[in-house]
């Protein structure tokens, strides 16, 4: 019985350690990185929406990498100087995904007023938060009051900083709560399966010893 208790204790400790590691990994993972993107249907030159999930979030890095599109999305420019309208760009996660934090890396023509919206079909959108007072082109962190779960997320902009096309380098999305984490891959899966096999082997050895006794 002592051997069995020790095996169970070791297994529980290992499970707790792996769970903590998985949660930490989920909190630090940019869920939007490399994902497909969508937008309202118009952009400038090569400043397409796929640039917001390529991992490059500033002009200096884009120039250093000699990216001709500067690794940013830019909406079509308004010719009459009007700064209000409707422009949007977003991410398609490919499946329902839980998140509670976004980081927007704006370009010089940043969004002054906008909403963060979610959808499961890219047609019916739900507001999850509204920003009315952004006054800077710096990186902007947005923490949701309640975690959202959706296949799509977008930035719906209704006012921009100037006459140029509203633009941003990158949209990062995180799940800091660790809730509803998708099935793990890579190192996490290997660790979990190793623990399962280890536990099975220990139980087998214990049973064999009991039978022989």
């Amino acid at each position: 019985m002592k051997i069995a208790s020790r095996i169970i204790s070791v297994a529980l400790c290992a499970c707790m350690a792996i769970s903590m590691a998985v949660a930490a990994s989920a909190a630090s993972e940019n869920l939007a990185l490399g994902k497909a993107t969508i937008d309202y249907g118009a952009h400038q030159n090569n400043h397409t929406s796929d640039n917001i999930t390529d991992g490059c979030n500033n002009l200096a890095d884009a120039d250093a990498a000699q990216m001709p599109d500067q690794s940013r999305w830019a909406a079509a420019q308004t010719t009459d100087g009007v700064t209000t309208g409707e422009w949007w760009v977003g991410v398609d996660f490919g499946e329902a995904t839980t998140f509670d934090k976004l980081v927007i890396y704006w370009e010089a023509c940043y969004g002054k007023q906008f909403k963060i919206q979610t959808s499961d079909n890219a047609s019916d959108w739900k507001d999850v938060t509204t920003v009315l007072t952004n006054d800077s082109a710096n990186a902007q962190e947005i923490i949701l009051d309640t975690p959202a779960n959706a296949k799509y997320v977008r930035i719906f902009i209704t006012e921009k900083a100037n006459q140029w096309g509203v633009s941003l380098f990158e949209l990062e999305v995180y799940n800091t709560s660790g809730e509803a984490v998708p099935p793990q891959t890579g190192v996490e899966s290997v660790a979990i399966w190793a623990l399962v096999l280890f536990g099975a082997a220990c139980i087998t050895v214990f049973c064999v010893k009991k039978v022989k006794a």
Side-chain angles (χ1 to χ4, degrees):
M1 290 299 293
K2 289 184 178 180
I3 295 177
S5 297
R6 290 177 181 176
I7 291 174
I8 293 172
S9 297
V10 170
L12 288 174
C13 290
C15 286
M16 291 176 62
I18 290 175
S19 297
M20 292 173 64
V22 169
S25 175
S28 62
E29 177 187 2
N30 173 15
L31 302 171
L33 184 62
K35 294 296 192 298
T37 58
I38 53 176
D39 67 17
Y40 75 110
H43 57 266
Q44 297 178 35
N45 303 318
N46 294 323
H47 301 309
T48 53
S49 63
D50 56 305
N51 293 321
I52 71 169
T53 59
D54 65 0
C56 183
N57 59 30
N58 62 79
L59 181 59
D61 288 350
D63 286 345
Q66 297 182 333
M67 295 178 175
D69 52 17
Q70 298 180 318
S71 184
R72 64 185 175 91
W73 168 81
Q77 183 176 337
T78 51
T79 58
D80 52 10
V82 172
T83 58
T84 57
E86 293 184 352
W87 310 274
W88 61 267
V89 65
V91 175
D92 175 0
F93 295 114
E95 61 182 358
T97 299
T98 300
F99 60 93
D100 59 6
K101 173 183 172 182
L102 302 94
V103 183
I104 306 171
Y105 292 86
W106 295 107
E107 204 253 344
C109 185
Y110 56 89
K112 295 186 69 175
Q113 293 188 7
F114 59 92
K115 299 176 181 179
I116 301 299
Q117 299 179 321
T118 59
S119 175
D120 292 321
N121 57 18
S123 296
D124 303 309
W125 295 90
K126 174 185 177 183
D127 296 349
V128 293
T129 192
T130 300
V131 177
L132 299 175
T133 57
N134 182 37
D135 58 1
S136 171
N138 296 328
Q140 183 175 17
E141 183 178 287
I142 298 172
I143 306 296
L144 303 182
D145 293 333
T146 303
N149 182 277
K151 185 175 185 289
Y152 300 90
V153 62
R154 73 177 181 180
I155 308 170
F156 188 86
I157 304 148
T158 53
E159 183 178 354
K160 56 183 180 173
N162 52 52
Q163 76 273 20
W164 307 110
V166 63
S167 180
L168 61 100
F169 289 102
E170 195 82 1
L171 173 59
E172 297 178 349
V173 182
Y174 298 91
N175 177 19
T176 64
S177 69
E179 297 176 3
V181 179
Q184 299 297 310
T185 59
V187 175
E188 291 88 353
S189 291
V190 172
I192 291 171
W193 278 109
L195 176 61
V196 171
L197 293 174
F198 172 75
C202 290
I203 292 173
T204 300
V205 171
F206 174 75
C207 292
V208 169
K209 287 185 175 180
K210 290 291 290 183
V211 170
K212 289 183 177 179

